[in-house]
Structures are given as C-alpha cells and as structure tokens.
C-alpha cells in the first residue's frame, strides 16, 4: 500500500513561476526523499532530507520536513518547461524495515513555456 | 560506469504466458529492489536483495511472482501465468550500501520494463 498522498495530484503553471508540492506520510521515518519521473522513464533522485533536518536546498529545489505533522513540501523556484514531470516523495520505514522505499501517488507537474 | 539497466524495455504477453524481466544494477551495489508501478500510481515495493540473499519478498502479490539474484549482481523477476492485472511498469533499483547504514537509502532506478498483458 502507498505510504501517503502528494498534494496536489496535478499542477499546471507558467514557466518562471514557483511550484509547490506537498507530501504526507503515515509512519515514523529515517529520512524522506523526492524523486522525479519523466513520462516513460525511470525515477531520478532529487534530494534527501533526514528526519532531524527541517529544511534543505539544492539548486532551485527547497525541501521542508515537519515530522510532527508527518509532512514535507518540495518547492521548485523559477520553473522551466524541462521541469515537467511527475514528482514523488518516498520514505523508508523506521525500524524493522529492510529499506524499501514507500512512495506516494505523485504530483504531475506541467510547466507551460 | 553505467546506471541501472533493465530489459526488455517493453513486453507484451498473452494472458497465461510466463515472462522474465532482467535488471543489471550498478556495479558493486549491494542492495537491489524491485518495484511495481501501476498507471497513475507511485511505485510499490515487491522484493529486496542484499547481495544474493532475498531478505524481503513481502511485496510480491502472489506466488506467481518469483525473483532471483544468484550471483549477487544481475537479477531476474519472473511472472508465471500472467494475468491482466499484472500489467504495469516494473522498476529495478540498486543502492551501494545496505539500507539503514549511515541512515542513507538513496536508490538508483532503471528505466523500467513496461509489461502489457493482453
């Protein structure tokens, strides 16, 4: 079963705008990761945030994590048409897990030129 | 070197046929994972190998699904007597270290095999 939900399910913006995607999860975690998936392709790792971190930046990406609310957000600033893809958050179980990632259902982002 | 590769990229099978999907992980990666991704959904865990040992197969949906990694590198996911509900993209991922080590679990994904069962 899926760990949680991304919100929104779909997002359409103009190039240059910022895109914010949210993710909620259910269980305690060691870390949370965000992946991107272009249509018909595999997943590409974007960023990992540990459970003891609250915010992390990588280029145009900013990730926040609120473990008290079991939620995370991914912000893509100054979006580009090439950012069009599906974005998934993934968590790994805390204790007892063999390390498999548990994915949400994803947000489909469309950036219009 | 190269990333994770999977073959075939596309597979069409008639219901009842057996299929075999191959994964070549990144050289030297200890951990290997298989995921199933239905259309419009996120990937769901199927099974996990640490070297040649299959440590977790709790995600395999039925006993028609079987995976192996006999020499601790290449892995094969076999589906016997395929059903229409098996239609999905099957993703393979590998990671350098066993999960939980140093708290890192970055997995590198292959392009997937899209299986269509008619």
């Amino acid at each position: 079963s899926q760990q949680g939900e991304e919100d929104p399910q779909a997002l359409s913006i103009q190039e240059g705008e910022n895109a914010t995607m949210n993710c909620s999860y259910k269980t305690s975690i060691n870390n949370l990761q965000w992946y991107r998936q272009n249509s018909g392709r595999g997943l590409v790792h974007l960023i990992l945030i540990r459970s003891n971190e609250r915010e992390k930046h990588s280029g145009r990406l900013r990730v926040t994590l609120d473990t008290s609310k079991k939620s995370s957000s991914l912000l893509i600033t100054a979006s580009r048409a090439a950012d069009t893809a599906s974005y998934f958050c993934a968590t790994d179980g805390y204790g007892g897990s063999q390390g498999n990632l548990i994915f949400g259902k994803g947000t489909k982002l469309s950036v219009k030129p | 070197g190269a990333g994770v590769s999977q073959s075939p990229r596309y597979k069409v099978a008639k219901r009842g046929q057996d299929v075999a999907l191959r994964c070549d992980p990144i050289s030297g990666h200890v951990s290997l994972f298989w995921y199933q991704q239905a259309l419009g959904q996120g990937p769901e865990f199927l099974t996990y190998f640490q070297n040649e040992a299959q440590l977790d197969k709790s995600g395999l949906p039925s006993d028609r699904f079987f995976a192996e990694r006999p020499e601790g590198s290449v892995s094969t996911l076999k589906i016997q007597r395929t059903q229409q509900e098996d239609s999905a993209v099957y993703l393979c991922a590998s990671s350098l270290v066993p999960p939980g080590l140093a708290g890192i679990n970055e997995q590198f994904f292959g392009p997937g095999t899209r299986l269509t069962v008619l």
Side-chain angles (χ1 to χ4, degrees):
Chain A
S1 61
Q2 313 268 204
Q3 163 73 288
E5 299 283 337
E6 276 92 342
D7 168 46
Q9 290 187 341
L11 180 61
S12 182
I13 59 174
Q14 293 293 131
E15 207 166 28
E17 292 180 339
N18 295 342
T20 299
M21 290 161 270
N22 303 297
C23 163
S24 60
Y25 57 92
K26 297 175 184 173
T27 63
S28 297
I29 61 171
N30 288 315
N31 57 63
L32 184 144
Q33 304 177 55
W34 284 90
Y35 284 81
R36 182 184 73 212
Q37 186 177 40
N38 290 83
S39 180
R41 308 282 292 276
L43 291 115
V44 174
H45 181 263
L46 295 176
I47 194 166
L48 178 150
I49 185 166
R50 297 176 193 258
S51 59
N52 62 354
E53 297 176 312
R54 291 297 167 259
E55 187 171 314
K56 200 162 183 180
H57 297 255
S58 176
R60 293 185 296 114
L61 306 180
R62 172 178 167 252
V63 170
T64 62
L65 178 64
D66 186 336
T67 53
S68 67
K69 296 181 179 178
K70 290 187 169 59
S71 68
S72 173
S73 68
L74 171 67
L75 168 68
I76 304 174
T77 60
S79 64
R80 305 167 183 168
D83 294 329
T84 294
S86 291
Y87 292 82
F88 296 90
C89 68
T91 59
D92 60 353
Y94 183 83
S97 167
Q98 294 293 347
N100 55 286
L101 295 175
I102 306 172
F103 288 85
K105 293 184 179 181
T107 292
K108 193 168 184 177
L109 174 65
S110 175
V111 182
K112 299 178 181 178
Chain B
V4 178
S5 61
Q6 293 186 245
S7 61
R9 290 292 312 278
Y10 303 91
K11 177 68 179 178
V12 179
K14 292 183 179 178
R15 190 174 56 178
Q17 279 186 330
D18 298 348
V19 298
L21 313 179
R22 177 186 168 108
C23 172
D24 284 78
I26 294 172
S27 178
H29 276 200
V30 168
S31 299
L32 185 146
F33 302 82
W34 283 98
Y35 294 85
Q36 180 190 58
Q37 185 176 22
L39 188 65
Q41 301 292 313
E44 294 204 7
F45 169 74
L46 293 177
T47 186
Y48 159 65
F49 290 86
Q50 184 173 322
N51 296 308
E52 69 279 2
Q54 188 175 21
L55 299 187
D56 188 348
K57 53 182 181 180
S58 62
L60 296 177
S62 78
D63 59 7
R64 296 185 296 102
F65 287 70
F66 172 77
E68 60 184 4
R69 194 186 185 198
E71 296 178 359
S73 56
V74 171
S75 177
T76 304
L77 176 67
K78 297 179 180 177
I79 309 173
Q80 298 176 323
R81 304 181 304 281
T82 53
Q83 303 294 315
Q84 284 188 322
E85 62 263 27
D86 300 335
S87 296
V89 175
Y90 291 85
L91 295 165
C92 175
S94 69
S95 65
L96 179 61
V97 297
L101 191 66
I104 298 297
N105 188 19
E106 181 180 348
Q107 298 181 16
F108 297 84
F109 282 80
T113 294
R114 182 177 296 277
L115 173 65
T116 303
V117 182
L118 303 176

